[in-house]
């Protein structure tokens, strides 16, 4: 047992060692600049120690912010996946809907997402629902486009097979097309994880008095730059944790049905 644990630890170390080197290098650059090159003090570019102190002084707010932001990101991710996959399947199967909707979707997708955040606040109010819906809006398009791409790339031999056995459109969709599109949907899932969190943070800048995005605004307004840096690091850790959770769940689903 202990040997297997040691082998696993060594394998993890070999895979992650260069990532660790990069992280340590970035920390060294950060500390070196703040200590020796920064002439404007911690209120301009805080040291690691100053960041840690200000972050720990506000740890209760950070814990509450993590819970709020993570729940909103999950809501946004679920909305984006459900709506993106459903619309991708619908538009791929109904030619009339595809011809009518695709120009509008391409036009809307060209808008910078951040400028629409105030409109979501006006339409849906301030709170979790508005933040979750905006996060879903940001994450929706990769899911939709990948689903549409996967549904339209069914192999010709499967189409011929469906014609030979007399499969209905519903049977082709249920037993062939959706499975052919799964790799595209799976790849978009990992993208949607990150984009849903990005959308939530953007909306929190404006929409709520909670969450990690709001804490960054609060910290910068009070010139607590160490607190702002600490919150940004926490957001990065939350993003990694969210990505890992979804990736593990996705790998489990793929291994079950493959």
């Amino acid at each position: 047992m202990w040997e297997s644990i040691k082998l696993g630890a060594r394998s993890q170390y070999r895979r992650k060692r260069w990532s660790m080197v990069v992280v340590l290098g970035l920390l060294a650059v950060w500390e070196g600049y703040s200590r020796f090159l920064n002439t404007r003090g911690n209120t301009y570019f805080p040291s690691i120690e100053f960041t840690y102190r200000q972050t720990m002084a506000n740890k209760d707010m950070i814990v509450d912010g993590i819970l709020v932001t993570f729940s909103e990101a999950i809501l946004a991710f679920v909305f984006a996946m459900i709506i993106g996959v459903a619309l991708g399947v619908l538009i791929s199967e109904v030619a009339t809907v595809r011809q009518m909707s695709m120009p509008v979707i391409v036009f809307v997708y060209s808008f910078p997402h951040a400028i629409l955040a105030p409109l979501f606040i006006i339409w849906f109010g301030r709170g979790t629902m508005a933040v979750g819906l905006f996060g879903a809006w940001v994450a929706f398009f990769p899911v939709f486009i990948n689903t549409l791409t996967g549904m339209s790339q069914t192999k010709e031999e499967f189409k011929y097979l469906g014609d030979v056995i007399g499969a209905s459109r519903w049977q082709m969709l249920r037993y062939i097309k959706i499975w052919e599109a799964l790799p595209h949907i799976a790849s978009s899932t990992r993208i949607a994880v990150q984009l849903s969190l990005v959308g939530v943070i953007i909306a929190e800048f404006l929409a709520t008095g909670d969450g990690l995005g709001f804490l960054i605004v609060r910290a910068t307004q009070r010139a607590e730059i160490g607190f702002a840096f600490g919150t940004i690091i926490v957001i990065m850790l939350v993003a990694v944790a969210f990505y890992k959770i979804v990736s593990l769940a996705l790998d489990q689903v793929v291994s079950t049905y493959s």
Side-chain angles (χ1 to χ4, degrees), residues 170-230:
W170 167 247
Q171 289 172 328
M172 286 290 295
L173 175 64
R174 180 180 178 184
Y175 296 110
I176 295 178
K177 288 187 176 182
I178 195 69
W179 295 101
E180 284 288 287
L182 273 182
H184 292 82
I185 297 173
S187 65
S188 70
T189 300
R190 293 182 168 88
I191 300 172
V193 169
Q194 302 296 320
L195 290 181
S196 61
L197 186 59
V198 169
V200 163
I201 296 296
I202 292 173
E204 284 178 347
F205 287 157
L206 303 172
T208 68
D210 296 306
L212 297 174
F214 170 76
L215 291 183
I216 294 177
V217 175
R218 176 191 176 103
T220 53
Q221 288 176 343
R222 298 187 177 191
E224 297 176 337
I225 306 303
F227 181 24
F229 268 52

Side-chain angles (χ1 to χ4, degrees), residues 126-142:
R126 294 176 178 269
T128 299
M129 184 56 66
V131 174
L133 288 174
F134 183 75
W137 168 266
V138 174
F140 157 78
F141 289 99

Side-chain angles (χ1 to χ4, degrees), residues 16-28:
K16 303 293 185 181
R17 59 184 176 182
W18 291 114
S19 298
M20 294 169 60
V21 169
V22 171
V23 171
L24 291 175
L26 290 174
L27 291 175

Side-chain angles (χ1 to χ4, degrees), residues 1-188:
M1 176 180 176
W2 288 110
E3 287 298 322
S4 62
I5 293 176
K6 289 180 181 179
L7 289 174
R10 289 172 183 169
S11 176
Q12 285 288 334
Y13 170 74
R14 284 194 293 268
R15 289 201 301 266
K16 303 293 185 181
R17 59 184 176 182
W18 291 114
S19 298
M20 294 169 60
V21 169
V22 171
V23 171
L24 291 175
L26 290 174
L27 291 175
V29 171
W30 175 7
E31 187 67 9
Y33 176 80
S34 64
R35 293 285 186 182
F36 305 111
L37 300 177
N38 176 26
T39 60
R40 300 170 65 177
N42 284 318
T43 57
Y44 171 72
F45 195 93
S47 65
I48 294 175
E49 184 269 338
F50 185 79
T51 298
Y52 175 79
R53 281 196 288 110
Q54 282 206 337
T55 303
M56 293 306 295
N58 297 279
K59 61 182 179 181
D60 292 337
M61 285 193 294
I62 288 180
V63 171
D64 292 339
I66 290 173
L67 295 177
V68 171
T69 298
F70 196 66
S71 61
E72 291 168 345
I74 292 174
L75 180 66
F77 173 73
V78 171
F79 280 169
M81 291 303 302
I82 293 174
I83 299 172
V85 172
L87 278 180
V89 171
L90 175 64
I91 291 177
S92 70
E93 288 298 297
V94 184
T96 303
V97 176
R98 182 168 61 250
Q99 293 169 358
M100 292 173 57
S101 60
M102 282 306 295
V104 176
I105 291 171
V106 171
F107 176 72
V108 172
Y109 185 54
S110 66
F111 284 9
H113 295 304
I115 66 175
L116 296 177
L119 293 178
F120 273 74
I121 296 171
I122 295 172
W123 294 335
F124 303 106
R126 294 176 178 269
T128 299
M129 184 56 66
V131 174
L133 288 174
F134 183 75
W137 168 266
V138 174
F140 157 78
F141 289 99
V143 179
F144 167 74
I145 292 171
N146 276 274
T147 301
L148 187 62
T149 301
M151 293 292 295
S152 63
Q153 291 185 351
T154 304
K155 295 178 181 177
E156 289 297 325
E157 52 264 36
F158 288 125
K159 294 180 181 179
Y160 294 146
L161 176 62
D163 292 338
V164 169
I165 64 178
S168 65
R169 172 178 285 189
W170 167 247
Q171 289 172 328
M172 286 290 295
L173 175 64
R174 180 180 178 184
Y175 296 110
I176 295 178
K177 288 187 176 182
I178 195 69
W179 295 101
E180 284 288 287
L182 273 182
H184 292 82
I185 297 173
S187 65
S188 70

